[in-house]
């Protein structure tokens, strides 16, 4: 069995106290992180796709549709037409 001098025994005790201090500090950080992750898991998940403030279907509006046709806007099909910018060849 190894015999420690009083100075060595005090040094070992101080090392153990420092290790315990940092271990408790790390445990506290891990507990806080665990609580944050649990909160994220239990939080309601927003629905994917259409944002809540936009209606799922846009109601038909004959006056609006007629105005768009008169203005020559592209309608339906989801197509978009763009003009060429400066220095770009026209499509």
């Amino acid at each position: 069995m190894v015999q420690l001098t009083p100075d060595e025994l005090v040094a070992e005790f101080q090392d153990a106290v420092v290790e315990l201090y940092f271990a408790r500090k790390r445990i506290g950080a891990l507990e806080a992180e665990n609580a944050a992750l649990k909160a994220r898991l239990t939080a309601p998940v927003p629905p994917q796709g259409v944002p809540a403030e936009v209606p799922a279907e846009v109601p038909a509006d004959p006056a609006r549709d007629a105005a768009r046709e008169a203005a020559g806007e592209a309608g339906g099909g989801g197509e978009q037409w763009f003009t060429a910018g400066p220095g770009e060849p026209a499509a």
Side-chain angles (χ1 to χ4, degrees), residues 13-87:
F13 179 76
Q14 288 173 340
D15 288 345
V17 169
V18 170
E19 287 179 26
L20 181 60
Y21 168 79
F22 285 111
R24 286 184 175 171
K25 197 171 182 181
R26 178 74 177 138
I27 288 169
L30 289 172
E31 286 174 343
E33 181 182 359
N34 191 28
L37 290 172
K38 282 183 180 180
R40 273 183 62 192
L41 284 174
T42 59
V45 178
Q48 296 292 324
V50 180
E53 63 274 359
V54 176
E57 292 183 24
V58 177
D61 184 356
R64 180 191 63 218
D65 295 339
R68 284 186 177 170
E69 285 181 30
E73 291 182 9
E79 295 182 44
Q80 295 179 358
W81 298 94
F82 298 96
T83 59

